[in-house]
Amino acid sequence: MRYMLMRKADANTEQGIMPTSELLEAMGEYNERMFAAGVFVTGDGLRPSSDGFRIRFTDGEPEVIRGPFEQTGELLAGYTVIEVDSPGEALGWAKQWPRSDAAACLEVRRYYEMEDFAPGPALERHARLGKAQQRQPVGLCTHLTFPGSCREAMNFYASVFGASLEINTFGETPMADQVPPEQAQMIAHAELHIGRHVIMGADMAPGCGQQAPGATVQLQYDNLDVATEVFQELADGGTVHMPIEKTFWAQGFGMLTDRFGTSWMFNCGLTPVEQWQ
């Protein structure tokens, strides 16, 4: 069951008064607890209605009305989406909303699901769209592999593109005690952020099961079942270098080369670096 916790607007949110650092910290901790429990889907704050619009239809013709809008208490200031097993569980999480948001008023509403509608061509159309949307990765980037020169290369790219760079060595991972001393400073994961674009990279240590250094398309999914289905389709007629399995950094990770020679890497349910253990 998917629920939306709708945080209603108030005078402060409608004036664009930003949350305090205390509240931001509390909301971050709240979201992290839901994430750890496996119920957090997404959540966002909304700008005041003065930055928004309403579209009113009369006889099918749209009329655009610019905000701000009246009836502040009926407007939304933000929302959180959770996926739980019962209405009681949804209410339980709603009651844990940060106390530092002292003026909060929440409305809890359940999403419709496909099973709520009568079967028919119209429902099948929505089902096809939903399945197509599920199969699209939530992230896609190029992953570069190196024979030991990842740090040098990624620092060079960061300088060229004016990008930010995050680097973690094998010696900084939970597998550090399994890595020979001479490989401890090799790069297990590098992430180059060029604006909204990302290039990942790593040194491929001997015996890691990856073909020669080069470029790989990295796909990121939230749903392990969908990721596995897509992985198996791409693997048909190709070569699986590593089947999708749980790792310390993801619920599922796998690598393959398809029958056309394209290399693919799958990550599903990524664990933040600071939570690696």
Side-chain angles (χ1 to χ4, degrees), residues 4-8 27 30 76 78-80 90-91 93-98 101 103-109:
M4 180 178 287
L5 315 183
M6 296 179 283
R7 202 285 191 187
K8 295 300 188 75
M27 283 301 304
Y30 177 57
L76 288 184
Y79 63 91
T80 295
L91 288 173
W93 282 109
K95 289 178 181 178
Q96 296 179 52
W97 192 266
D101 191 8
C105 176
L106 300 183
E107 183 175 325
V108 181
R109 300 276 294 276

Side-chain angles (χ1 to χ4, degrees), residues 159-197:
S159 174
V160 169
F161 297 115
S164 61
L165 177 63
E166 301 171 17
I167 283 183
N168 294 93
T169 66
F170 283 100
E172 296 170 327
T173 71
M175 60 186 291
D177 58 350
Q178 305 170 33
V179 177
E182 64 272 16
Q183 295 177 12
Q185 292 306 307
M186 294 179 72
I187 306 305
H189 178 73
E191 200 164 303
L192 188 71
H193 292 263
I194 309 172
R196 292 181 295 174
H197 307 288

Side-chain angles (χ1 to χ4, degrees), residues 135-154:
R135 291 172 67 87
Q136 294 182 355
V138 296
L140 185 154
C141 72
T142 300
H143 188 282
L144 307 176
T145 53
F146 301 89
S149 54
C150 181
R151 183 186 297 274
E152 179 184 0
M154 296 298 270

